[in-house]
Amino acid sequence: LAPEALLCEFQVSDSLGSAAFRDNDGHFYVVKETHVWVRITMWGFNFSRVAVQLDGDNAPLAGKVKYDKEKHAYYVTLRIPLASRTPPKLQPQSPQAPSLLSQSHEPWKRLPRVKFQISITAWVPQGKGPGRASQDVCVQLEGNLTVGMVLCHHSDELGRIGAIVKHRRQMLTQSLPPYLQPLALYSSRLSARAAIMAAGN
């Protein structure tokens, strides 16, 4: 088993299961003071077990790793309670304060943003060979695996600002084939490298 490049996909949904859309910077738009669900889909290996850390802390998963027959990939789901996280800070303002006109045209820039660092450890079946029993190989997924979110204060604000953000995103992705456009709006894909850590159960 040799280290190789693989692909991770992040999708975010709210507490009711509605998919969150993303902007051109890769941030998902959600309502503050609720929890969100994050689905992590992984290609590259036949994963038997997966462990996830969120900003260095172990993240409880909603069940075991599952296989998606349509995507031909494995995935796990975790719950992030936004209310219990450290209150995010507003993005730094530019040296020149924006005018009221620019703020009204780009209201999402006033909203707080938070970014979570994701660390993934996975176990991959190595298979049997001459003189050895089957065992799993532990791999660490290395890369800039982050999930960014823009926190709206309530659902009305999310709907109002979301209409603008969605339109801007759709304008950028309209050159994609129609079947890829929803993927570009509701998911974020990042590349990683699987570094072998150890072999064992």
Side-chain angles (χ1 to χ4, degrees):
L1 181 67
E4 61 180 78
L6 49 81
L7 184 67
C8 291
E9 176 186 77
F10 296 97
Q11 294 172 295
V12 177
S13 59
D14 62 18
S15 58
L16 300 178
S18 299
F21 57 89
R22 50 157 291 189
D23 60 17
N24 295 334
D25 296 326
H27 288 79
F28 292 91
Y29 280 65
V30 298
V31 176
K32 189 180 179 181
E33 304 301 340
T34 64
H35 72 266
V36 296
W37 295 97
V38 177
R39 169 172 159 153
I40 305 174
T41 305
M42 299 159 290
W43 289 264
F45 293 118
N46 296 324
F47 299 97
S48 61
R49 285 186 291 156
V50 173
V52 177
Q53 284 192 330
L54 189 69
D55 291 339
D57 298 326
N58 292 329
L61 301 180
K64 298 179 180 180
V65 60
K66 299 181 177 65
Y67 183 72
D68 188 321
K69 294 182 179 180
E70 293 185 359
K71 293 185 176 182
H72 304 286
Y74 292 84
Y75 70 93
V76 292
T77 305
L78 63 147
R79 180 180 181 272
I80 300 179
L82 296 178
S84 66
R85 307 301 299 182
T86 301
K89 297 180 180 179
L90 288 172
Q91 284 190 321
Q93 296 290 334
S94 59
Q96 295 182 347
S99 65
L100 293 177
L101 179 62
S102 64
Q103 287 187 19
S104 64
H105 287 173
E106 298 179 335
W108 55 88
K109 289 189 175 181
R110 302 194 307 269
L111 296 175
R113 298 184 175 216
V114 64
K115 184 170 286 188
F116 300 100
Q117 184 70 41
I118 306 291
S119 300
I120 302 174
T121 304
W123 286 262
V124 181
Q126 188 176 16
K128 296 181 179 180
R132 74 167 189 264
S134 175
Q135 59 181 350
D136 288 350
V137 174
C138 179
V139 296
Q140 183 74 35
L141 275 60
E142 298 178 343
N144 186 27
L145 301 179
T146 59
V147 177
M149 299 180 195
V150 177
L151 305 181
C152 298
H153 297 93
H154 45 74
S155 57
D156 289 342
E157 184 177 57
L158 175 62
R160 184 175 65 254
I161 293 179
I164 306 173
V165 175
K166 284 182 180 180
H167 177 70
R168 290 166 62 96
R169 180 64 180 165
Q170 288 166 342
M171 291 293 292
L172 186 66
T173 60
Q174 63 183 354
S175 60
L176 295 173
Y179 71 92
L180 288 179
Q181 292 179 17
L183 179 66
L185 181 60
Y186 293 104
S187 69
S188 177
R189 289 188 171 187
L190 301 171
S191 60
R193 182 178 182 273
I196 295 178
M197 303 298 291
N201 297 323

